[in-house]
Amino acid sequence: MDLRVDLLTIGAFSNASRLTPKALRLYDELDLLRPAHVDPDTGYRYYAPGQLERARLVAWLRRLGMPLARIRAVCGLERAAAAREIRAYWAGVEAETAARRDLAAFLVDQLSAVADGPGISGRGTNMLELRYSAHSDIGRVRPANQDTAYAGARLLAVADGYGPAGAPASSAAVQALKFLDGEEVPAGGVLGLMEDAVQGATEAVRDVAADGEEAGTTLTAVLWTGSQLALVHIGDSRAYLLRDGGLFRITHDHTVVQSMIDEGRLTPEEAGSHPQRMLLLKSLGSGPPAAPDLRLHETRAGDRYLLCSDGLYGVVPEDRIRHLLLSVPDPDTAVRALVDAANDAGGPDNVSCVVADVVRAGEWTAVQGE
């Protein structure tokens, strides 16, 4: 009895699965899609009709750009688990695409400025500056404030420390970045500059735990170049952009619950009461080094940026945050109104806020908060 009667030749299987014979031979070698039968004399490959579902899944995942190693893992999962893995992969692709989009916009802006002539920007963004304020509060429950907030002409930062040495950890992280506030920033290398500064912040945090005391901190900071903001982010402090009346979160929490949301295992509403909502996946601390998120953001006159610790967004709904940012005109009053809102909601945690407005040069004088 010929076992090949009910099997498809590699050519027929290729047509049905939309995978080329070359790809099928590769996937055989990689143990991703083995043929049902290989002729011992000719080496010709035959496939069972039941293999088409897996083959089509492989083809679709390749069209998504998923690496073969990850495809192999997805193909070994149950359907629901495979769906979660694909969702998580695509969330990562979107984040990477957004970062590349920002870099492309930056390069276009820089090259356009050079083409227009020295000191000239296509949108006139060289005439913009920041007005800003920062405020940090102990809240109504915690015995000490482990947050640090800072706002300067170029640097804005919020850090939320944890552990017995959390307060010196957050302070050390921000202190390690302050040198950036007093220097002219080379726009072309700003992301590299921020990455190097964060490495210095990591070492500073480790130094405060030199005696074996646990120390760690989140860090969310932006550096103003005169036309853009370079963002560095690690942990679960956040940065928001208020533009044209809409409030947009421009950071991604590095937490267990956020990863569960990304994978479709948890809704944002469920995350608020999840027992692991405070568990970080990334931070600056004594553990293995963790890569921060680094991005460039184009700015416009009228933009308002908010950096905050989880002591704010954990108890104050985003629609309330948006209302306060829209209704309070100056940054100093805005940061205090936000802190008051967190304390009015019980103040269960330290709360820190930095608010910065992008304005035409000379319109306002900045006010440095506490």
Side-chain angles (χ1 to χ4, degrees):
M1 179 178 178
D2 191 349
L3 296 176
R4 294 171 294 175
V5 172
D6 297 325
L7 299 180
L8 300 174
T9 64
I10 190 171
F13 193 77
S14 171
N15 292 333
S17 65
R18 303 294 180 88
L19 290 171
T20 66
K22 181 179 179 180
L24 289 171
R25 287 190 286 270
L26 173 63
Y27 299 159
D28 179 11
E29 294 171 5
L30 296 176
D31 197 26
L32 179 61
L33 187 63
R34 291 287 194 184
H37 176 72
V38 178
D39 190 291
D41 298 320
T42 66
Y44 207 74
R45 296 170 173 84
Y46 295 87
Y47 294 83
Q51 292 182 280
L52 280 172
E53 182 177 359
R54 181 184 177 101
R56 287 166 180 158
L57 176 60
V58 171
W60 291 330
L61 293 176
R62 286 300 289 158
R63 290 181 65 185
L64 283 180
M66 185 178 286
L68 289 174
R70 195 159 183 175
I71 290 175
R72 184 185 295 108
V74 170
C75 289
L77 297 173
E78 297 292 335
R79 297 177 71 91
R84 288 194 296 268
E85 179 66 16
I86 294 168
R87 185 181 293 111
Y89 167 76
W90 192 247
V93 170
E94 288 182 323
E96 181 182 351
T97 301
R100 293 170 64 190
R101 179 198 62 214
D102 290 343
L103 179 57
F106 165 75
L107 292 172
V108 169
D109 185 65
Q110 291 298 110
L111 293 171
S112 298
V114 171
D116 290 337
I120 300 174
S121 170
R123 293 187 297 276
T125 53
N126 58 324
M127 299 302 294
L128 300 177
E129 63 183 17
L130 297 180
R131 61 184 178 102
Y132 50 83
S133 186
H135 185 52
S136 183
D137 189 87
I138 192 172
R140 301 195 182 281
V141 175
R142 296 295 176 89
N145 191 354
Q146 295 187 311
D147 285 4
T148 299
Y150 176 82
R154 293 189 177 90
L155 179 70
L156 314 171
V158 165
D160 180 358
Y162 61 85
S170 69
S171 178
V174 173
Q175 192 67 35
L177 268 61
K178 282 188 179 180
F179 77 94
L180 297 168
D181 206 28
E183 296 186 358
E184 287 292 336
V185 180
V190 65
L191 290 182
L193 185 64
M194 289 289 275
E195 188 171 22
D196 290 343
V198 171
Q199 291 180 2
T202 301
E203 295 172 3
V205 171
R206 289 177 176 171
D207 286 343
V208 304
D211 296 330
E213 195 172 29
E214 183 184 2
T217 185
T218 69
L219 179 65
T220 300
V222 295
L223 185 63
W224 172 249
T225 70
S227 61
Q228 294 178 312
L229 288 177
L231 169 71
V232 61
H233 167 71
I234 188 165
D236 66 348
S237 295
R238 290 182 178 178
Y240 291 89
L241 167 64
L242 183 75
R243 175 178 286 175
D244 298 331
L247 184 65
F248 308 95
R249 175 152 58 109
I250 58 175
T251 52
H252 195 73
D253 294 346
H254 299 140
T255 60
V256 169
V257 294
Q258 184 62 59
S259 69
M260 293 172 72
I261 293 171
D262 294 342
E263 295 168 4
R265 293 189 286 154
L266 202 66
T267 67
E269 293 74 22
E270 293 168 337
S273 58
H274 195 277
Q276 292 183 313
R277 63 187 179 278
M278 307 299 292
L279 191 58
L280 295 173
L281 294 176
K282 286 185 181 183
S283 65
L284 300 183
S286 55
D293 295 341
L294 290 161
R295 294 182 62 183
L296 286 167
H297 282 269
E298 295 289 335
T299 57
R300 302 177 189 171
D303 284 350
R304 169 168 278 191
Y305 287 87
L306 166 67
L307 277 61
C308 65
S309 62
D310 62 345
L312 175 69
Y313 70 79
V315 294
V316 181
E318 285 193 4
D319 58 350
R320 176 63 175 161
I321 294 174
R322 172 180 171 275
H323 171 75
L324 290 171
L325 290 172
L326 280 171
S327 60
V328 180
D330 66 282
D332 190 52
T333 307
V335 293
R336 294 176 186 278
L338 290 165
V339 169
D340 287 346
N343 285 331
D344 290 344
D349 198 357
N350 309 144
V351 56
S352 294
C353 299
V354 174
V355 172
D357 293 342
V358 181
V359 299
R360 298 293 178 189
E363 284 185 2
W364 289 82
T365 301
V367 178
Q368 173 68 53
E370 297 177 14

